[in-house]
Amino acid sequence: MHSNKYIVTALVRNHAGVLARVASLFGRRAFNIDSLTASATTDAKVSRMSIIVTADEKILEQVMKQVSKLHEVIWIKQLDEEDSYCKELVFVKMSTPDALSRNAIREIAEVYHANVVESVGDTMIVELTEVPSRIDAFLDVISNFETIEICRSGVTAMVK
């Protein structure tokens, strides 16, 4: 079976424990949840969950059907990056011991429309807000540099 990364979004009733119940259904199928965010909506009684999960497509469909049966779930949908609005934020702190490495990182950041938010001494922090696949590509490109720390926010997604 072939596993891919999928973006799933759900509107849920804002009840205690709903996040744990939804996440546990994915976990019971041994899916790796790469990111999970929950956020407010225009209705204080409803929250939006955005999940990136690595899964087999057939099993993902089964889990989504099980999740949709939970009392708190209003609806759940798998999204494609191209057919939705989705963004994620990443901060990357890198070691930049010399001008050559700082310049190279600045050039890569420019290509990806990332921002250098701090460059002090021998470290640099770069910020990128993009679709998850573009962040993955950026992280792959900068993997040749010494990374001190990475912090990803998790995806936020909605249907167009």
Side-chain angles (χ1 to χ4, degrees):
M1 293 190 170
H2 184 64
S3 293
N4 291 312
K5 283 189 177 184
Y6 296 98
I7 300 171
V8 175
T9 189
L11 286 182
V12 298
R13 289 180 183 83
N14 210 357
H15 296 166
V18 67
L19 182 66
R21 283 191 287 287
V22 170
S24 72
L25 281 177
F26 283 93
R28 276 186 256 159
R29 294 290 187 154
F31 290 165
N32 183 35
I33 294 176
D34 297 313
S35 80
L36 189 153
T37 60
S39 59
T41 65
T42 55
D43 182 347
K45 297 176 186 174
V46 176
S47 293
R48 174 181 307 280
M49 293 177 62
S50 299
I51 305 164
I52 296 181
V53 62
T54 302
D56 168 77
E57 189 171 2
K58 285 185 179 183
I59 297 173
L60 176 64
E61 287 177 26
Q62 293 172 359
V63 172
M64 287 179 58
K65 285 179 186 176
Q66 291 173 358
V67 170
S68 70
K69 292 177 184 176
L70 292 174
H71 169 71
E72 297 92 348
V73 176
I74 298 165
W75 64 259
I76 185 168
K77 183 175 175 72
Q78 178 188 333
L79 302 178
D80 294 317
E81 284 183 358
E82 300 81 30
D83 300 328
S84 62
Y85 296 107
C86 64
K87 294 289 182 182
E88 184 176 10
L89 168 68
V90 66
F91 289 110
V92 184
K93 184 187 292 184
M94 291 172 278
S95 175
T96 53
D98 53 45
L100 188 63
S101 62
R102 285 188 291 278
N103 290 338
I105 291 168
R106 286 182 196 280
E107 286 178 20
I108 294 168
E110 189 175 316
V111 167
Y112 281 85
H113 303 290
N115 298 311
V116 174
V117 293
E118 186 171 277
S119 183
V120 177
D122 61 350
T123 63
M124 181 179 282
I125 299 175
V126 178
E127 166 197 22
L128 177 60
T129 303
E130 251 305 350
V131 295
S133 63
R134 186 102 165 127
I135 288 179
D136 290 341
F138 173 74
L139 293 175
D140 187 49
V141 169
I142 63 166
S143 66
N144 295 329
F145 298 94
E146 182 186 345
T147 301
I148 299 167
E149 188 177 355
I150 295 176
C151 182
R152 287 180 84 156
S153 66
V155 70
T156 299
M158 70 171 28
V159 178
K160 282 186 178 179

